[in-house]
Amino acid sequence: MARRITHRNLPQQLLKARDALMSHFRPVLNHFGITEQQWRILRALDEHGQLEPRELCELCQILSPSMAGMLARMEETGLVRRTRVAADARRVMVSLAPQGDALFDAIAPLIDQQYRLMEKAWGKRVVDDLARALEDFIAAQDTEVPQVALPPRTES
């Protein structure tokens, strides 16, 4: 039977690659009792200092309703702190709380060590090439791609 789609299934490949990559980090996160989403939030806050929830949503690829609940739980457990912006009380800034900062300090060296182990196993070039390819693909999204013309809907 001839293939009906001739191009690779890039979304499926990206999902498989993400899952394969995360399998090397999940044991570290599980050991410390945090989820992948919580780690993405902690890492974004470490890199940026403080962010608004909407910025965290974009950086961490987490939908707003999920982010709201996650930040509430992370605040309850002392990982993050939310503070109102003095000049505009409608705005909230999120930052690492001391406990979140300490947790990040404990996890960060293990994440770096895991990256080094992967580079040793696969070659640094493979890891660097993957990072570069993803960066190039993300940057290419600034170039508009025409949308395929859709046929008229048929009544069923």
Side-chain angles (χ1 to χ4, degrees):
M1 182 166 133
R3 290 175 53 189
R4 291 188 276 181
I5 297 177
T6 57
H7 284 81
R8 296 180 201 118
N9 189 340
L10 288 177
Q12 187 68 32
Q13 286 180 294
L14 284 169
L15 288 169
K16 284 176 119 174
R18 181 193 180 283
D19 194 55
L21 187 61
M22 284 308 299
S23 72
H24 298 280
F25 298 106
R26 280 188 199 108
V28 175
L29 302 180
N30 290 340
H31 178 78
F32 288 93
I34 64 167
T35 66
E36 293 175 35
Q37 294 87 354
Q38 288 172 323
W39 175 246
R40 293 198 311 256
I41 291 168
L42 293 175
R43 184 146 183 187
L45 293 173
D46 180 70
E47 290 176 14
H48 297 276
Q50 61 177 3
L51 294 162
E52 292 187 62
R54 66 175 176 74
E55 294 170 313
L56 275 171
C57 287
E58 186 175 324
L59 285 170
C60 300
Q61 296 296 292
I62 299 173
L63 297 175
S64 185
S66 298
M67 180 64 76
M70 199 168 314
L71 289 177
R73 287 186 297 280
M74 290 177 78
E75 188 173 36
E76 286 171 12
T77 59
L79 296 176
V80 300
R81 176 182 332 174
R82 293 187 284 186
T83 53
R84 296 231 173 256
V85 175
D88 184 353
R90 295 170 298 176
R91 291 179 56 211
V92 173
M93 299 302 290
V94 182
S95 59
L96 288 175
Q99 189 173 329
D101 197 49
L103 179 63
F104 195 90
D105 279 343
I107 295 174
L110 299 172
I111 296 294
D112 275 340
Q113 184 179 2
Q114 189 62 52
Y115 271 112
R116 284 191 297 277
L117 290 169
M118 293 183 314
E119 289 171 347
K120 185 175 181 184
W122 304 329
K124 186 168 178 3
R125 197 184 112 247
V126 168
V127 177
D128 289 345
D129 287 350
L130 175 60
R132 197 171 305 105
L134 292 171
E135 289 165 359
D136 289 349
F137 176 75
I138 292 166
Q141 299 315 296
D142 292 339
T143 303
E144 188 174 330
V145 176
Q147 184 64 47
V148 64
L150 298 173
R153 291 184 188 258
T154 57
E155 298 296 322
S156 30

